Amino acid sequence: MRILVVEDTQVLGQAICDRLTSLGHGVDLIADGKSADELLKYQDFDLILLDLNLPGLSGLQLLQKLRQREDSTPVLILTARDQIEDRIRLLDEGADDYLTKPFDFGELEARCRALLRRKQGYASNVTEHGNIIVNRDSRQVFVNSELTGVTNREFRLLEIFLGHLGRVLSKDEITDHLFNFDETPGQNAIELYVGRLRKKLAQGDLQISTLRGIGYVAQIAPSNPD
């Protein structure tokens, strides 16, 4: 998914980006609150990882502005503050979760998975879609109970389609979810990834239809009555 990391400590910010990018997410890093606020006025993200102590605009101020615009993007706060009053205020101001520094990267990944999963409306990391089972924890896909090998990028593309079932997605929308600003995918990149995913899920119940000149729409094939 497309994730924004707002962290002014370059080493930590880059380490977070590298970790999430290795999982197939499109990740962008911004080091000050004011620039992040301007970006969020026109660019959508699936998740925001937000440090509190930022130059230009504090993380709390950025969160408040985001919620004042009625932007419901999930926000995971990264904070060195461990006082219960601070945590209560962050949650009351609209934060979805918080992680106290220093933190374990495994826990960071788990919290990101949970927030992204909830945004898509799923209660569990393991979900069934017809004869397809998706495990977001292990990043595995099973078709008819058999493991199907997919790359991290293909797995994220599958998540995008499953999170927007029945909705037409343009190539630009998919690109925005799948790649970050530093990546320059070719003109046919989305067609290539969709083609690969279709081939690997050929025996599955997920139908990805191409609407020429418009984009793609994914649906779960109805079960055949016995």
Side-chain angles (χ1 to χ4, degrees), residues 31-50:
D32 70 275
K34 188 174 181 180
S35 297
D37 184 51
E38 290 301 316
L39 174 62
L40 288 166
K41 289 178 182 178
Y42 67 86
Q43 177 65 51
D44 292 329
F45 289 87
D46 297 295
L47 175 64
I48 301 169
L49 273 57
L50 179 61

Side-chain angles (χ1 to χ4, degrees), residues 35-103:
S35 297
D37 184 51
E38 290 301 316
L39 174 62
L40 288 166
K41 289 178 182 178
Y42 67 86
Q43 177 65 51
D44 292 329
F45 289 87
D46 297 295
L47 175 64
I48 301 169
L49 273 57
L50 179 61
D51 182 32
L52 284 184
N53 298 317
L54 296 168
L57 196 69
S58 74
L60 178 58
Q61 291 172 316
L62 177 58
L63 174 64
Q64 290 170 334
K65 286 178 173 290
L66 193 71
R67 297 310 186 220
Q68 286 168 4
R69 293 195 295 268
E70 298 186 354
D71 188 326
S72 60
T73 303
V75 175
L76 172 61
I77 297 291
L78 306 177
T79 176
R81 304 176 189 176
D82 58 1
Q83 296 298 315
I84 186 66
E85 294 82 3
D86 291 326
R87 287 178 277 177
I88 290 173
R89 185 181 182 191
L90 289 170
L91 294 171
D92 283 342
E93 290 289 352
D96 295 272
D97 199 358
Y98 62 85
L99 195 55
T100 304
K101 299 177 182 178
F103 51 79

Side-chain angles (χ1 to χ4, degrees), residues 1-4 43-48 67 71-75 96 111-125 136 159-160 162-164 167 176-177:
M1 297 297 176
R2 186 73 178 272
I3 299 175
L4 177 64
Q43 177 65 51
D44 292 329
F45 289 87
D46 297 295
L47 175 64
I48 301 169
R67 297 310 186 220
D71 188 326
S72 60
T73 303
V75 175
D96 295 272
R111 290 180 182 270
C112 288
R113 281 196 301 272
L115 290 174
L116 290 169
R117 183 189 72 223
R118 289 174 203 158
K119 182 183 179 183
Q120 293 183 331
Y122 298 119
S124 170
N125 275 331
R136 290 168 175 77
E159 282 193 304
I160 292 169
L162 292 177
H164 299 84
R167 179 187 156 194
D176 282 345
H177 283 287

Side-chain angles (χ1 to χ4, degrees), residues 30 49 86 106 114 144 150 154 168 187 199 202 211:
I30 289 187
L49 273 57
D86 291 326
N144 290 322
V150 294
E154 290 163 354
V168 177
Q187 288 186 332
K199 186 175 181 179
L211 304 178

